[in-house]
Amino acid sequence: MISQKRITIIGGGNMGSAVAKGIVAAGLIKPENITLTRRNPQHLETLKSLGFGTSVNNIEAVKDADIVLFAVKPWLTIDAVREVTPHLQSGALVMSVATGISLSQLDEALGGKHAIVRAMPNTAAEVRQSVTALCLKGTTDEQAAIANEIFGQIGLAVVIDEQLMPAITALASCGIAHALRFIRAMMESGIEMGLTSAQSAQIAAQTAKGAAELILKNGSHPEVEIDKVCTPKGVTITGINAMEHAGFTSAVIKGIMGSYDKIMGK
């Protein structure tokens, strides 16, 4: 669907380049159809060597673009949008991955003239395992499908109402750190039992990855998979109960809700 489109990514940093590399790796588009911009041309050399178009001029970069993705810092986003808006093609689809910048803010900066996708990936986009929440304004069915197609190449893309964006941010974006802290705790127990730090890291990460794949591939509830491991009077249920007595589930919920409350200004 996007193979013949021209895409410009304003901000060729970690997130912008992750999106570009993801859709190219999936075979959806050729790198020469994607232009990435940064203020420092030296930071574009690697992308240029991969066949991507590069530019230090945002205005020139957007003039022939069918899709423009803003992947700059949140405090720079609105100014960047206003800078290029007069030079966008009629009918260009505008997307943003800026945290905290709402659809209404983007729409105002664009003069109400363009379809908008607000996207919230997480840092696992770097390894194409992100959860990306998508909020849409004024998009056609084709444009919505394009957004899903693009962000589906860096992980799971989910279309939500914008009012749920704080919940997704707490669960998926902040949740990366929560999940990593659990893996870190598993590592430390492995070290205490005699494994090296490197062995513990690899085993804990793969165990967490395997647990997640069981849920994703089987479509099952976590408790169903837990019951498969917990035998009567067994070692697993003993460990599970010890964690629960220490407040494990409550601590996780409190952690995620703490992030959510902070987002909501509580």
Side-chain angles (χ1 to χ4, degrees), residues 9-153:
I9 299 177
I10 306 297
N14 291 336
M15 187 60 69
S17 60
V19 172
K21 291 174 183 177
I23 58 179
V24 167
L28 298 180
I29 192 171
K30 293 180 180 179
E32 55 263 35
N33 284 356
I34 302 175
T35 298
L36 297 100
T37 74
R38 290 193 76 169
R39 284 179 289 187
N40 188 334
Q42 292 182 334
H43 294 157
L44 293 166
E45 288 302 314
T46 299
L47 293 167
K48 190 174 183 179
S49 70
L50 296 173
F52 293 104
T54 60
S55 176
V56 295
N57 188 318
N58 290 345
I59 291 174
E60 290 299 320
V62 304
K63 286 183 176 179
D64 64 346
D66 303 297
I67 301 165
V68 178
L69 169 63
F70 290 89
V72 295
K73 300 297 184 185
W75 56 89
L76 300 173
T77 298
I78 294 301
D79 285 343
V81 172
R82 287 178 176 150
E83 176 192 25
V84 305
T85 291
H87 309 280
L88 295 173
Q89 290 193 79
S90 176
L93 174 62
V94 174
M95 302 192 293
S96 167
V97 296
T99 303
I101 306 298
S102 68
L103 287 172
S104 60
Q105 289 174 291
L106 293 166
D107 193 40
E108 181 181 0
L110 289 162
K113 297 179 180 179
H114 293 274
I116 309 168
V117 175
R118 178 186 173 190
M120 174 61 71
N122 63 27
T123 56
E126 181 181 342
V127 290
R128 298 178 65 192
Q129 293 296 326
S130 175
V131 173
T132 304
L134 302 176
C135 303
L136 314 176
K137 184 177 179 63
T139 54
T140 64
D141 289 345
E142 180 185 6
Q143 289 171 327
I146 285 172
N148 270 290
E149 192 173 26
I150 288 174
F151 288 100
Q153 302 313 313

Side-chain angles (χ1 to χ4, degrees), residues 5 18 42 56 59 66 83 86 124 140 147 161 180 196 202 207 211 231 245 255:
K5 302 291 186 182
Q42 292 182 334
V56 295
I59 291 174
D66 303 297
E83 176 192 25
T140 64
D161 291 331
L180 288 169
T196 67
Q202 186 178 40
T207 301
T231 56
H245 288 314

